[in-house]
Amino acid sequence: MDLASRYKGVVGFVFGNENSGSSEDSYVERLLDRISNGVLAEDRRNAIAELQSIVAESHAGQLAFGAMGFPVLMGVLKEERDDVEMVRGALETLVSALTPIDHVKRATNEVQPALMNTDLLSRESDSISLLLSLLSEEDFYVRYYTLQILTALLTNSPNRLQEAILSIPRGITRLMDMLMDREVIRNEALLLLTYLTREAEEIQKIVVFEGAFEKNFSIMKEEGGSEGGVVVQDCLELLNNLLRSNASNQVLLRETMGFDPLISILKLRGSSYSFTQQK
């Protein structure tokens, strides 16, 4: 049984039966057919836009997408790389499929489609590899949505994604490169790396080998050090992950950069002692 079909029973249960004629189910199926088999590129792009909208707004739409949508959109990401608008749309739809719809109140024992979709996608190491390859694309939104997808996967399935990234050549290197990207991309990558390095000693060592200390302190300096905001806080959390229980990283920091960059964060500016909670 392939991974796309393993949830069809769940979908059938939620909709009443596997052959349910629910409007969301059939609508999602028609849109996926247009994306897969459409002749005109513009029609396929429009179908992706409509799919993104229903997946972002409808609990049942998210669930229907999870049963049959991943192979179609991963195919778009693989085969349509030259069509930036289509790739953007596919990635934005995946972000929506992995994002819980907060305004919908559901019973705690009911199927949570965003979590189900995260589980489904994170099982596919080839999909993770494909997503990481998109980080080298020139388009800003392609890189941004890709990082959001990886963060969603890591938040809900940390161990599985950590294993997948470790198995992919240059996987962590691609993520580290994002720390030198534009500010929005950099901040998203910083958040992802903070999640990724929690309780993962092997990843902590690779991240440091890829220049995490230098890049981390550089970002904190750019953001104003002790006067910085949430970005500096994220940098410190990442640094804490890299050092707290990792003796080899502690030694490496002491022998390479020393403690001066860290101590400089504590230097106060001006005479005001009215600190915010964050500071």
Side-chain angles (χ1 to χ4, degrees), residues 27-52 72-73 76 80 83 85-87 89-90 93:
Y27 183 35
V28 168
E29 189 169 4
R30 289 197 304 272
L31 291 173
L32 290 169
D33 181 66
R34 283 170 58 191
I35 295 167
S36 298
N37 303 312
V39 176
L40 300 176
E42 189 62 29
D43 180 60
R44 297 177 67 205
R45 295 188 198 104
N46 290 338
I48 289 179
E50 292 179 44
L51 180 63
Q52 190 277 327
V72 174
L73 291 197
V76 169
E80 308 288 349
D83 192 327
E85 186 179 344
M86 196 174 295
V87 170
T93 303

Side-chain angles (χ1 to χ4, degrees), residues 241-257:
N241 291 349
L242 298 176
L243 293 172
R244 179 172 289 276
S245 301
N246 196 312
S248 62
N249 282 353
Q250 294 170 18
V251 171
L252 189 61
L253 176 65
R254 185 174 70 243
E255 294 182 350
T256 54
M257 301 191 72

Side-chain angles (χ1 to χ4, degrees), residues 117-125 128 153 157 160-161 164:
N117 290 343
T118 300
D119 179 71
L120 182 60
L121 184 57
S122 66
R123 290 175 182 272
E124 290 287 308
S125 59
I128 306 303
L153 293 176
S157 303
R160 194 177 292 159
L161 193 67

Side-chain angles (χ1 to χ4, degrees), residues 7-30 60-61 63-64 67-68:
Y7 287 112
K8 286 185 178 178
V10 176
V11 174
F13 173 77
V14 174
F15 287 142
N17 61 72
E18 288 194 27
N19 298 315
S20 169
S22 77
S23 58
E24 291 90 348
D25 196 15
S26 58
Y27 183 35
V28 168
E29 189 169 4
R30 289 197 304 272
L63 197 59
M68 50 193 161

Side-chain angles (χ1 to χ4, degrees), residues 12 24-25 39 56-57 64-65 72 128 152 192 199 215 260:
E24 291 90 348
D25 196 15
V39 176
E57 298 173 3
F65 174 85
V72 174
I128 306 303
L192 175 60
E199 301 178 3
K215 291 174 182 175
D260 286 346

